[in-house]
Amino acid sequence: MTAVPGIDAGARSARVRRGLLVVARALTVATAVVAGYFVLPLDSPLVVRTGLQLLAGLAVLVVLLGWQVRAILRSSVPSLQALASILVTVPCFVVLFSISYYLLGSDDPGRFSEPLSRLDALYFTLTTFATVGFGDIVARAPEARAVVAAQMALGLLLAGVVIRVIVGVAGVARRRNARGATAGSSAAEGRGPIDLVLLELPPGRSSDAAARAIADLVERGTIRVHDLVLLAKDDDGTPEVLDATASASAARRFAQLPTTRPGALDDDVVAEAAAALRPGTIGALIRYENSWAAPFLTAVRACGGELVTSTRLPAADGVEDAGPTA
């Protein structure tokens, strides 16, 4: 955490830290998968269940890809999130088939041209995946060749379609995140009113539902988040700025919201918001544009009109003032 006077630098570097953390997590997962392949016990005999386990592993991989696509669309650093997806998916694919070859060779060494160690199985999987096929290890038994054929077909699908989809989704997310900065021919044309809200959250409870509600508004084009800063106030009343990627933060899900103008919140605004928090709470300071109103304001300007003033009433006031319309 950093103190409030240093907020501007911290806010401007939040996206960089977030992207580096995403890639670091992916590399950690990939390393753990490969290390687990070498250290976890793989001594069970080859039976029909082994083939079912291979199919189950492929199904899990498909689910993982779906989750990764969703994460890319929701990320404020979609390119790095896409890179992280590839860094996780490819090692999982390779290790899955390496396990299959190792079990095949352990059950009957004659299924391949030579007995396979775990390293040999990984080497054979990589050469098959890279389509180089040096020929020093060859599948001889029909069941071994069937698995090799499946790997080659799925490998082509992974390299030719899945990775292209991941990159394409990242492009869609980048364009969506930048839409607010490029829409309209001037700073005012085609834009909606901008609101600034401070949400105060208890540190011991999850705020995922609130973050998902805002993400839903963004996805539907109702609002566009310009910038977001996570704040905290210690029990002694000292305000601080939370790292957007802090896993201990109850507001960490808010950090995943895509922002179109990171750094738009200046020091004074953030300091004032931090001072408004009660001790022992966490805050999410959000600057967002009401995109839903942009077409209406554009139509008003096209008629020669202009928005003179806009006042937002608290929800409670609106309920109290509401009455019969007849």
Side-chain angles (χ1 to χ4, degrees):
M1 292 191 227
T2 55
V4 169
I7 174 59
D8 192 52
R12 291 179 183 277
S13 62
R15 289 184 68 216
V16 175
R17 294 197 303 271
R18 197 177 308 155
L20 292 177
L21 181 62
V22 165
V23 174
R25 285 176 176 171
L27 289 173
T28 301
V29 171
T31 302
V33 168
V34 176
Y37 165 71
F38 282 102
V39 300
L40 294 178
L42 296 174
D43 300 326
S44 59
L46 185 69
V47 293
V48 175
R49 184 177 58 186
T50 305
L52 296 177
Q53 289 173 347
L54 174 60
L55 293 177
L58 292 173
V60 171
L61 194 60
V62 171
V63 173
L64 175 64
L65 284 171
W67 182 86
Q68 293 285 2
V69 168
R70 184 180 180 185
I72 294 170
L73 289 172
R74 290 175 174 267
S75 176
S76 59
V77 284
S79 295
L80 291 177
Q81 186 68 54
L83 175 61
S85 300
I86 296 172
L87 289 175
V88 171
T89 303
V90 173
C92 288
F93 179 86
V94 170
V95 167
L96 182 62
F97 277 94
S98 297
I99 293 174
S100 301
Y101 295 137
Y102 176 74
L103 291 177
L104 281 167
S106 298
D107 183 68
D108 182 0
R111 289 190 171 104
F112 294 91
S113 55
E114 62 181 68
L116 296 183
S117 65
R118 298 194 190 208
L119 182 58
D120 293 334
L122 179 62
Y123 164 79
F124 179 67
T125 305
L126 287 172
T127 57
T128 304
F129 181 73
T131 67
V132 291
F134 293 121
D136 48 348
I137 301 178
V138 179
R140 290 178 172 174
E143 57 272 25
R145 291 180 177 179
V147 176
V148 171
Q151 186 203 330
M152 289 190 291
L154 293 175
L156 291 174
L157 182 65
L158 177 63
V161 178
V162 175
I163 293 179
R164 181 175 297 182
V165 168
I166 290 175
V167 174
V169 169
V172 171
R174 284 198 308 271
R175 289 191 294 272
R176 186 192 63 186
N177 291 350
R179 194 177 301 154
T182 58
S185 58
S186 67
E189 189 69 22
R191 297 183 184 275
I194 295 175
D195 283 337
L196 185 65
V197 298
L198 174 64
L199 306 178
E200 186 179 83
L201 306 165
R205 297 181 60 182
S206 172
S207 60
D208 292 2
R212 285 195 298 268
I214 296 179
D216 183 61
L217 292 174
V218 173
E219 290 180 358
R220 289 188 292 169
T222 304
I223 65 172
R224 183 182 297 119
V225 177
H226 285 181
D227 196 13
L228 181 147
V229 174
L230 302 182
L231 304 167
K233 180 172 284 189
D234 295 339
D235 292 334
D236 61 0
T238 302
E240 294 179 307
V241 176
L242 293 174
D243 187 333
T245 59
S247 59
S249 170
R252 64 186 181 276
R253 294 295 182 186
F254 284 90
Q256 300 176 3
L257 294 172
T259 57
T260 60
R261 296 182 59 188
L265 293 169
D266 58 34
D267 288 357
D268 294 338
V269 173
V270 175
E272 183 179 353
L277 290 176
R278 292 180 297 175
T281 60
I282 291 175
L285 180 63
I286 307 173
R287 167 177 162 155
Y288 66 91
E289 174 190 346
N290 292 277
S291 308
W292 62 267
F296 164 68
L297 294 178
T298 300
V300 170
R301 295 188 184 104
C303 298
E306 190 61 58
L307 177 65
V308 177
T309 184
S310 176
T311 303
R312 182 175 295 276
L313 299 176
D317 291 346
V319 173
E320 293 170 0
D321 295 341
T325 57

